[in-house]
Amino acid sequence: MAAVIKPSWSKPSTILFASECPPNEKAFAFALAEAAELDADLIILHAYDSSDIAAPGASAICTSNDATAQKHRLEPLAERAVDIGIRCNIVVRPGLPADQILSFLRERKIDRVVMGAHSPGPVGKLLVGSVAEAVLRDANVPVCIVGPNVVEGTYRNPVTRRILCDVSKREASKVVAHFGADLAAEYNASLILQQVIPLQERAAFIGHLAIQEIEAELPTLVPARLHRKVRIQTRVTLGDPTEELLYQGRAQQANLIVMGAHGASLFAAITRAGTVYKVLAYAHCPVITLSPIVLADCGAKVEKRISSEVNYMAGVV
């Protein structure tokens, strides 16, 4: 069954920037660059917890219940967008940020979410933040996370653009590869299909096949019509999925990483021990994730996270 990918996901007409307070400058710069290049409208959404309760260790969250004051603080961002010709609106809502972001996605036609991910403290780099975690796992559109280690400007070179696409999970590989190829065609970028096979699964996964044979099969994950538009490279490696993705991201000078946000256990969701969380925490470039909801809607057979798997560890957007 062919993956069903919405064209607007690779060429969005409306991008939602989920802003914390104060705004994440690197994340906003990326959202701004995307909106300008793709001629997309930009919506700046900020949700504040009117209960005045903030999680221990979280970054400053605006707690004033005056929506007008909240909006005023975001106006400089909108002015920057308007100054370069981007249509931009500010939306401020009281309530839990993750709930309000997901609710807004259901109410409005949004094609992509951009948000930052960071957390303070000695283990901060292993945390993507509770709001970002909830959104990237329950959003009905692709979510782009700009993590704490993103090098500013890595996504701005239109000449040598490379998109690294993680196709390690068989059940979602076609959807992820198709979306990555659509992005590569839109951005005029090279596409690198990366499959990482854990050492403990080598015998069962590879069998009698050689690595080169598996690499030769990976382009079949991409629709034939896109082969003429995108330069496809393939890499199959053995080892730790997180380490290999991060290494190849830097070695190939990737401008974007695309991966499915699925398969995390309850333990991984709480401890941020899964591949998705670590890649977001350490990646040098933005990461676009496809939630279990998006993957399932596109025809991938993935297990949806049960509702009790809600992030309880303190973090920030």
Side-chain angles (χ1 to χ4, degrees):
M1 178 180 177
V4 181
I5 306 293
K6 294 183 179 180
S8 60
W9 288 347
S10 56
K11 185 175 175 52
S13 60
T14 305
I15 295 173
L16 177 69
F17 172 60
S19 179
E20 58 189 311
C21 185
N24 184 312
E25 178 57 38
K26 275 198 294 190
F28 180 68
F30 178 77
L32 204 60
E34 291 284 271
E37 179 175 354
L38 299 169
D39 191 28
D41 293 346
L42 182 64
I43 296 177
I44 301 172
L45 172 65
H46 173 63
Y48 60 96
D49 187 352
S50 57
S51 67
D52 288 353
I53 298 176
S59 70
I61 297 177
C62 297
T63 55
S64 167
N65 59 7
D66 186 348
T68 302
Q70 304 285 349
K71 188 174 182 179
H72 179 71
R73 298 186 66 171
L74 296 172
E75 285 177 353
L77 300 185
E79 290 172 359
R80 285 166 58 185
V82 172
D83 285 345
I84 59 174
I86 298 173
R87 298 170 294 277
C88 182
N89 290 312
I90 300 172
V91 177
V92 174
R93 289 183 167 186
L96 296 176
D99 292 345
Q100 293 303 317
I101 294 168
L102 294 170
S103 176
F104 194 81
L105 292 179
R106 291 189 293 269
E107 296 168 11
R108 299 282 294 273
K109 185 185 180 302
I110 304 298
D111 302 308
R112 186 181 302 171
V113 176
V114 176
M115 61 194 307
H118 60 81
S119 185
V123 294
K125 290 183 179 179
L126 294 180
L127 306 178
V128 300
S130 58
V131 177
E133 195 275 338
V135 173
L136 70 89
R137 294 204 168 271
D138 291 321
N140 56 9
V141 298
V143 176
C144 185
I145 302 291
V146 181
N149 283 351
V150 167
V151 178
E152 226 172 332
T154 52
Y155 44 83
R156 293 178 181 170
N157 190 340
V159 178
T160 59
R161 279 184 173 160
R162 296 181 180 89
I163 295 176
L164 178 64
C165 196
D166 175 31
V167 293
S168 300
K169 298 292 184 180
R170 289 180 177 179
E171 62 272 23
S173 59
K174 283 191 176 182
V175 175
V176 175
H178 188 164
F179 175 62
D182 277 348
L183 281 176
E186 181 62 39
Y187 290 117
N188 192 27
S190 297
L191 177 67
I192 304 168
L193 299 178
Q194 168 84 21
Q195 183 172 8
V196 183
I197 303 172
L199 291 174
Q200 64 271 24
E201 298 178 17
R202 176 177 182 174
F205 195 98
I206 297 179
H208 64 281
L209 296 176
I211 293 292
Q212 292 80 3
E213 292 178 280
I214 300 176
E215 288 181 337
E217 287 295 316
L218 289 183
T220 63
L221 296 173
V222 175
R225 63 177 177 81
L226 292 172
H227 284 225
R228 299 186 298 272
K229 300 179 180 180
V230 178
R231 178 171 175 265
I232 302 173
Q233 299 174 277
T234 60
R235 294 185 182 277
V236 175
T237 58
L238 301 172
D240 178 82
T242 303
E243 292 180 1
E244 289 298 325
L245 280 171
L246 291 172
Y247 171 76
Q248 290 297 334
R250 291 184 179 276
Q252 302 300 322
Q253 297 181 325
N255 303 99
L256 282 174
I257 294 175
V258 178
M259 63 191 309
H262 58 92
S265 65
L266 176 58
F267 176 79
I270 294 175
T271 63
R272 306 304 199 268
T275 298
V276 175
Y277 307 116
K278 291 181 180 178
V279 171
L280 293 174
Y282 289 101
H284 80 293
C285 64
V287 180
I288 297 185
T289 63
L290 302 179
S291 73
I293 292 174
V294 168
L295 292 171
D297 287 347
C298 292
K301 295 181 179 179
V302 297
E303 292 185 7
K304 293 186 178 181
R305 180 172 60 93
I306 59 176
S307 59
S308 61
E309 287 193 23
V310 179
N311 32 273
Y312 296 106
M313 183 172 282
V316 295
V317 178

